[in-house]
């Protein structure tokens, strides 16, 4: 669906530009956009490589395991239906750890693996389980200590202080995570009350 929306905007832009005799502006914008995209990507690659390296050092030093232990009580509270020693919990904690450090791209593979493991526990394969919905909500609205990707984008556009968004991002993500958990709890309660397949 999203692809169709973007296709519509692109085609509509070309048609309008052609009718107004400004097709040269569209061509110029296309090349400028491609150039900006490559520039931003190079900036993101450098930051991502740095933070992924830092994550690897933290992993080798045992910091991620300690963080996982700190997150364990919260994960058990948020995912009560997942057995204690199930592999899904490890992937969930890795996903949450990566999101906390603002490494969305690094968190994605762990999130996918966690979803695959949760699907194995799902009694209704055609619909998402409550645990899967919780993971999706947390992955979307995760608390972020260091917004790595945003800092990289700001650096690529020569921001005077690219890291100044850390405080506001932390506050915003705390609010978004709290809201996500509250809505998730409400829907879980409603789902339990109504029963699967009835609402």
């Amino acid at each position: 669906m999203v692809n169709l929306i973007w296709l519509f905007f692109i085609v509509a832009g070309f048609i309008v530009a052609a009718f107004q005799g400004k097709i040269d502006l569209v061509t110029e914008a296309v090349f400028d956009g491609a150039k900006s995209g490559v520039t931003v990507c190079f900036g993101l690659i450098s930051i991502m490589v740095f933070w992924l390296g830092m994550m690897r050092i933290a992993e080798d030093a045992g910091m991620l395991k300690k963080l996982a232990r700190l997150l364990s009580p919260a994960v058990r509270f948020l995912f009560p239906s997942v057995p204690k020693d199930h592999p899904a919990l490890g992937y969930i904690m890795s996903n949450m750890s990566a999101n906390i450090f603002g490494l969305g791209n690094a968190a994605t593979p762990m999130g996918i693996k966690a979803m695959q493991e949760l699907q194995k526990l799902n009694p209704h394969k055609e619909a998402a389980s409550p645990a899967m919905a919780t993971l999706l909500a947390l992955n979307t609205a995760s608390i972020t200590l260091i917004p790595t990707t945003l800092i990289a984008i700001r650096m690529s556009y020569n921001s005077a202080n690219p890291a100044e968004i850390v405080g506001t991002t932390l506050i915003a993500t705390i609010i978004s995570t709290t809201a996500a958990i509250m809505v998730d709890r409400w829907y879980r309660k409603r789902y339990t009350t109504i029963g699967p397949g009835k609402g």
Side-chain angles (χ1 to χ4, degrees):
M1 185 62 184
V2 174
N3 291 338
L4 293 176
I5 293 172
W6 279 111
L7 179 62
F8 168 76
F9 281 129
I10 292 169
V11 172
F14 272 105
I15 291 172
V16 171
F19 274 113
Q20 293 182 349
K22 297 180 179 179
I23 199 73
D24 56 320
L25 294 179
V26 175
T27 305
E28 184 181 341
V30 167
F31 285 111
D32 284 345
K35 181 180 177 181
S36 297
V38 171
T39 303
V40 171
C41 284
F42 276 120
L44 289 174
I45 288 170
S46 62
I47 295 297
M48 288 300 296
V49 167
F50 171 76
W51 282 110
L52 286 173
M54 293 295 287
M55 284 284 284
R56 184 59 186 267
I57 292 170
E59 183 180 2
D60 291 343
M63 290 178 64
L64 290 186
K65 288 183 179 179
K66 291 179 181 178
L67 180 60
R69 280 199 291 270
L70 287 173
L71 292 174
S72 183
V75 171
R76 296 296 308 144
F77 168 75
L78 293 168
F79 299 91
S81 61
V82 181
K84 185 176 181 181
D85 296 322
H86 197 273
L89 291 178
Y91 290 122
I92 289 169
M93 286 187 280
S94 296
N95 174 266
M96 291 175 66
S97 300
N99 276 322
I100 286 172
F101 287 110
L103 298 170
N105 292 339
T108 300
M110 295 298 103
I112 292 172
K113 291 292 292 183
M115 282 291 188
Q116 290 173 344
E117 293 295 332
L118 291 175
Q119 179 67 356
K120 295 176 183 178
L121 298 172
N122 187 5
H124 307 285
K125 303 298 183 184
E126 70 283 354
S129 67
M132 294 169 79
T134 301
L135 177 60
L136 184 61
L138 288 176
N139 189 61
T140 305
S142 175
I143 292 175
T144 304
L145 296 178
I146 307 169
T148 309
T149 304
L150 288 177
I151 290 173
I153 292 172
R154 288 168 61 86
M155 286 178 66
S156 68
Y157 284 102
N158 302 317
S159 171
N161 188 1
E164 69 181 350
I165 59 170
V166 170
T168 52
T169 301
L170 180 59
I171 294 169
T173 54
I174 287 173
I175 293 170
S176 66
T177 303
T178 302
I181 292 171
M182 290 173 64
V183 171
D184 178 71
R185 294 287 109 177
W186 184 82
Y187 271 105
R188 270 181 181 262
K189 187 175 180 181
R190 182 173 182 270
Y191 181 84
T192 303
T193 304
I194 294 176
K198 297 182 182 179

